Each structure stands twice: as structure tokens, then as C-alpha cells.
Amino acid sequence: YIHSSSENDLATNYFFPISINQHHPIPQVNAPSDCLCKSYLQPTAPTFDVLPVFSSSDNYLPQVVTIANNALYYRPSLEVPPDGRDAFLLGGCSISDVDAVNNFPKPVELLRSSMSDVYQGVRFAPFSTQDNVVVGSVSYNYIGEVASFSLQSTENTRIDKKMLNDCVNDFCFSPGSTLDDPGIMAFAYGGESFGTLLYDISSETNGGAYNLRTEPLCVQFAKGRGNQQIYYGHRDGAVSMLDTRARKFHVLDLNSNDSFGSATALQTLYDENLLIAKGSFGSCRVYDLRFVKRDADTRQSYGCALFNMSIPHSGHKTKSVRCVGLATDINESIVASPFIDTKNGVELAIWCIKTGRLIRTLDVSKRKTALHSYSKLEDDGQSAAFCELSSVLTRGFDFIHEENSNVPRVRNLAGTHGAWFKTGSETNGSPFEIGGIHHVITG
């Protein structure tokens, strides 16, 4: 929704290209089926992912995988003609509407190991190709009380499965991972046995397990460093780095600001000296690793936090704990992050990375006095609003409402890039029947 060629040139556009077929009966609530998983999973769980198309053409929508009604659905890339194409609404056409069904084919439901498994996260593997797209997912079996990680192709071919120690808060692949060497993954464990685990995909062996000072909520490999440096965001707000060569942890900075909360998302940049962390109360923090100091007595590192990027006074800190994710523009000059305002609406805050200045906020939800609840923890009729923002950039697209047409059209925006986010709040111009994944233009 941010169309930006400069810091001050921002406009909004809305778009959703995925149709999700309901797999099992779900509660009759006014929310897309691919958003219901956010009512029982912890906020940092990655419940969807996008994969840019392996093509030089700008006219292809990305591939998408998402958790919907505790099932995994994959939608392959689709071509957008020069004059655009009609969007396919979840409940907007009948089975007999052949043109609409052919225009946006139904996503593929991926195989599952057990019906008692509850999916906790999903990501595309970086070694996916145009002919072989691979999805990694974590799940927890509450009957057997065991967690597992699976790799499978979108052709429903099982590649690998590994049993895990406990519930997983987050996981990620190292840049350039392959099924051969190198192929390293990092898991951030929650629960009583919180910690981190490195897993070698190529040899199907553990690359090392580490106990941490506090529970890790998110994990991210450093860009341009292969699998040498891994960053973790912790429940107490601290950020730590694992040097896999020396097998040592370094706490970059302890959280001394109560308004920051827990570190729920990390964004590494091509400028290897900078790191951005998102706090659970909505604000973000920029670190410069060149300024790390080390206390000789406590052996703790500190002092590399450059500045805090705070949300405006319209933000609601406690409700914002269900908003996660960071996304930059292609030049990494601005960063966007979601928060909840005092009227229970979802907004994006956009800051300048170099100065920390708040450029503007962007309302991406349709105002309602009382949204229907899709949280099992709430029964007062109010919405547990959330937003999960992906850091993956793809080509940019527009979502247009034409006169005398009930079906919006998707159009390519040549020369632009955008990110994707999932939210249960109804977005401007996008009814709930469209689904929960939307698009934001970043430049």
C-alpha cells in the first residue's frame, strides 16, 4: 500500500489474489479462513510466505503458501495481462462461474503427516526452483506432544522430516541454502526448554543446540554472511548474535526501555553494520554493530543501539503485541512496520532508516466500531486485531475498483516493488471474502 519513489511520495493500493477453499468446518466469524490460525498461535509464528517468480517478466503474481483452517495451501504464480485480470473472491462466484474459477484457480492443499498436527509456521525454502518449489513447515502434535519440521515440494512429495524438541516460535533458512552443503536452518524454541537449534539439511543432522538466557521469539540470518551470523530477538527485548564459527553468543544490547517490549521481528540489511528490531509495543530500534562495546567484568556487549523509532500517540501499545514484521523498500532507505491504533485499526508506520524519523502512518484497515472476534481468548465481541508483515519484496501490483463492476481488477505496476501482509481487519476496498493477505507497494 505504500507507493513511494521518495520519502514524501506515498499513496495506497489494495490487492489480494488468493482464494482459499475451506478444508474443515470453522467458526462462523467475520474473518478470512486464512486468518483464524492467528487466534491460537503465538504472534511471531510465520503463517504465510511469498516467493517471487523466477522470470524476467514483471507480469506474474508471486507464489504464496499460507496456513488456512489448519491446512497448508499453495497457490502457484499467475500471469497478469497488460490490461489486468479480475480478482477471484472467496465467496464471490458460484461453482458454475467457469470464467472466474479458471481466472484464479483454487490453491493446492499440501499433504500433512497427521490430522492431529497443528501447523505453527510455514516458509518457502530458498532452494526452490521454477520446476520444484519446496515448502518448509513446523507443526505440533498435541496428542503425542511432539513437534516436527517437514520439507515437501508443492507436488506433494515429502523430502525430509525432523522431530523437534518443543514448540517453535520462529524458524528460518540460511541465505543460499540448498539440499546439499551448505543447507543450514535455525529454530527458535519456546516453552520450558527454550533455546535454539541449528539443523543441517544436507546431512539431516543437528548443527548444534544452545541454551539461551531468555526465550527467543524470532530468528534471522545476516545477509551476505552465509550461515556465519544468526540474530535472535528475545522475550525480554534483548537482541543477541550467534557466531557459528566460534560457537559463541553475544548479547548486542540489553533492553532498558519498557516501551519497547519483546523483540518480535528482525531485519538484516545489505549494509552489514545495521540491524533493525521490532518491539512488541509497536516501536522499532536500529542497531549499528560497529559501536558494540564489551564489559570486561560481565562479558556483556552493549551500546550499539543508535535510536528508537516510536509509533505515534495514536498507537495502542498493548494491542500492538499482535502486530509483527518489518519491510523495507528496495533501496533500504525506509522501513515499515504494523501497529494497532486506539480505535482498533491496523496501521503501518514508515520511518527513515538513516535518521529514525517517522515519515508518516498509513491506515490499512476499514474503521469499525466493533469488529467480530476471531480470538478464542476473547468473548466480548471485540476484535483481536493483528497484522503479519512479510519482508519479502516482489513486483508491485495495483487493486482497482472499476465502475459498473462488482469484481476488482489486478493490474501490474511496472517498475515498482511491494511487500505482503496478512491481517484479519477488513481493508479499504477489500471485503472479507477476498481473504487475509494483502499487498503494499514499497517503491
Side-chain angles (χ1 to χ4, degrees):
Y1 305 113
I2 315 166
H3 176 56
S4 172
S5 57
S6 66
E7 288 185 4
N8 298 316
D9 179 17
L10 297 173
T12 61
N13 296 299
Y14 299 87
F15 160 58
F16 173 73
I18 300 179
S19 60
I20 299 299
N21 211 13
Q22 293 185 6
H23 179 62
H24 298 297
I26 60 175
Q28 296 301 309
V29 292
N30 199 16
S33 59
D34 57 338
C35 291
L36 296 179
C37 58
K38 301 298 290 190
S39 67
Y40 54 84
L41 295 177
Q42 53 85 24
T44 60
T47 67
F48 84 103
D49 200 9
V50 296
L51 184 67
V53 178
F54 303 95
S55 170
S56 59
S57 172
D58 292 349
N59 297 330
Y60 282 86
L61 296 172
Q63 301 164 94
V64 180
V65 64
T66 185
I67 300 175
N69 201 18
N70 196 33
L72 290 184
Y73 287 90
Y74 161 75
R75 200 221 56 211
S77 61
L78 295 171
E79 185 175 8
V80 178
D83 60 342
R85 69 183 300 159
D86 289 344
F88 179 72
L89 305 183
L90 288 176
C93 72
S94 64
I95 299 299
S96 61
D97 194 343
V98 178
D99 290 338
V101 174
N102 290 336
N103 198 29
F104 271 113
K106 294 180 180 180
V108 178
E109 181 182 354
L110 302 183
L111 292 177
R112 57 196 303 161
S113 301
S114 171
M115 295 302 295
S116 58
D117 285 350
V118 175
Y119 285 107
Q120 294 183 306
V122 61
R123 293 193 188 276
F124 281 113
F127 44 82
S128 297
T129 65
Q130 187 170 0
D131 299 324
N132 185 31
V133 178
V134 180
V135 173
S137 62
V138 293
S139 59
Y140 189 81
N141 189 306
Y142 284 89
I143 296 178
E145 296 185 347
V146 61
S148 63
F149 167 76
S150 296
L151 276 177
Q152 65 185 114
S153 74
T154 52
E155 300 297 325
N156 277 326
T157 302
R158 182 76 63 184
I159 298 176
D160 182 34
K161 183 174 182 179
K162 170 166 179 65
M163 307 310 293
L164 301 173
N165 297 336
D166 209 331
C167 294
V168 175
N169 289 332
D170 192 16
F171 71 99
C172 64
F173 296 86
S174 63
S177 284
T178 66
L179 284 174
D180 302 316
D181 189 40
I184 303 297
M185 295 189 60
F187 295 90
Y189 283 115
E192 295 180 357
S193 57
F194 63 81
T196 182
L197 170 71
L198 303 186
Y199 177 57
D200 190 323
I201 303 171
S202 57
S203 62
E204 300 184 15
T205 58
N206 291 346
Y210 302 86
N211 295 322
L212 303 180
R213 185 173 58 88
T214 61
E215 180 183 358
L217 299 180
C218 55
V219 58
Q220 182 71 50
F221 281 87
K223 289 182 179 178
R225 297 292 181 92
N227 57 10
Q228 297 177 359
Q229 291 181 358
I230 309 173
Y231 296 99
Y232 297 85
H234 297 266
R235 185 173 295 279
D236 66 350
V239 175
S240 65
M241 180 193 72
L242 170 63
D243 185 336
T244 58
R245 295 164 298 181
R247 294 182 176 272
K248 289 184 178 180
F249 265 97
H250 303 279
V251 179
L252 299 183
D253 215 359
L254 297 175
N255 180 27
S256 58
N257 188 348
D258 292 337
S259 64
F260 184 76
S262 303
T264 58
L266 300 170
Q267 178 73 38
T268 59
L269 305 178
Y270 287 109
D271 183 345
E272 298 177 354
N273 297 311
L274 298 181
L275 172 71
I276 305 175
K278 174 179 173 56
S280 58
F281 294 151
S283 62
C284 296
R285 183 176 292 167
V286 176
Y287 297 90
D288 191 329
L289 305 181
R290 293 171 296 185
F291 295 104
V292 173
K293 300 177 183 178
R294 188 170 178 84
D295 188 297
D297 296 327
T298 63
R299 296 184 179 182
Q300 295 286 356
S301 300
Y302 66 96
C304 67
L306 288 182
F307 43 74
N308 288 323
M309 300 184 292
S310 301
I311 58 176
H313 295 297
S314 61
H316 194 295
K317 293 181 179 179
T318 355
K319 291 183 179 180
S320 293
V321 298
R322 299 188 64 82
C323 289
V324 296
L326 295 160
T328 67
D329 64 328
I330 194 69
N331 297 316
E332 295 185 342
S333 60
I334 62 173
V335 61
S337 184
F339 68 94
I340 304 299
D341 61 28
T342 53
K343 297 181 180 180
N344 212 36
V346 178
E347 297 192 42
L348 293 179
I350 300 101
W351 296 277
C352 173
I353 294 177
K354 301 300 182 183
T355 65
R357 179 175 65 90
L358 178 65
I359 300 172
R360 66 161 294 180
T361 61
L362 185 63
D363 187 353
V364 297
S365 62
K366 194 172 184 178
R367 296 294 180 185
K368 292 195 172 190
T369 55
L371 297 176
H372 288 274
S373 175
Y374 41 88
S375 170
K376 295 180 180 179
L377 302 178
E378 298 188 37
D379 57 3
D380 59 355
Q382 296 297 314
S383 164
F386 76 91
C387 184
E388 178 185 342
L389 176 64
S390 170
S391 62
V392 177
L393 295 183
T394 69
R395 302 295 185 182
F397 299 91
D398 199 1
F399 188 58
I400 304 171
H401 289 267
E402 297 180 337
E403 293 184 6
N404 303 321
S405 176
N406 295 325
V407 181
R409 287 186 69 79
V410 178
R411 186 181 64 180
N412 170 53
L413 288 179
T416 66
H417 295 82
W420 303 79
F421 66 93
K422 178 187 284 190
T423 179
S425 297
E426 184 176 353
T427 60
N428 294 329
S430 299
F432 280 108
E433 290 79 5
I434 291 181
I437 301 175
H438 306 270
H439 189 50
V440 48
I441 303 298
T442 58

